[in-house]
Amino acid sequence: MPREANSRGRSVYVLDLTKELETEVVQGTDVVNNEQPLWTPRGDALIYLTNRAGFGVWSLPMNEGKATSAPRAVRPQSGHVGLLGFNESGA
């Protein structure tokens, strides 16, 4: 996804395939990287890795492709983990 030419950070985008519209929902900066965004099984939040407060797992509540509140730390000091995912029960 597009980034400012002077930005090295990674942002998280939501892509609406019907409207062909992309929306930045989590902004990266030159020091903040956000990685591996993943929808929860119910589609009500994005889970992603970020180094905003030490590398950890964060959650962004979503509704119809838009954030409904600020991101929150789920496991703020988990360190850099492998690929995120959910099991069959959604855990």
Side-chain angles (χ1 to χ4, degrees):
M1 295 296 154
R3 282 190 272 158
E4 296 296 322
N6 61 357
S7 173
R8 294 182 308 241
R10 294 184 187 125
S11 296
V12 175
Y13 293 83
V14 172
L15 178 60
D16 183 327
L17 297 175
T18 305
K19 298 177 184 173
E20 297 183 10
L21 175 70
E22 70 181 32
T23 304
E24 183 180 46
V25 293
V26 179
Q27 186 176 32
T29 69
D30 59 346
V31 294
V32 175
N33 288 312
N34 305 291
E35 306 177 357
Q36 300 185 41
L38 176 71
W39 286 102
T40 58
R42 292 184 300 188
D44 60 351
L46 279 172
I47 305 297
Y48 61 98
L49 297 176
T50 184
N51 66 339
R52 70 170 52 208
F55 223 93
V57 180
W58 285 60
S59 173
L60 179 65
M62 301 287 291
N63 185 21
E64 296 185 14
K66 296 182 180 156
T68 59
S69 65
R72 69 176 183 85
V74 177
R75 296 198 59 180
Q77 299 296 321
S78 63
H80 201 285
V81 298
L83 294 175
L84 294 175
F86 293 96
N87 63 24
E88 290 179 8
S89 68

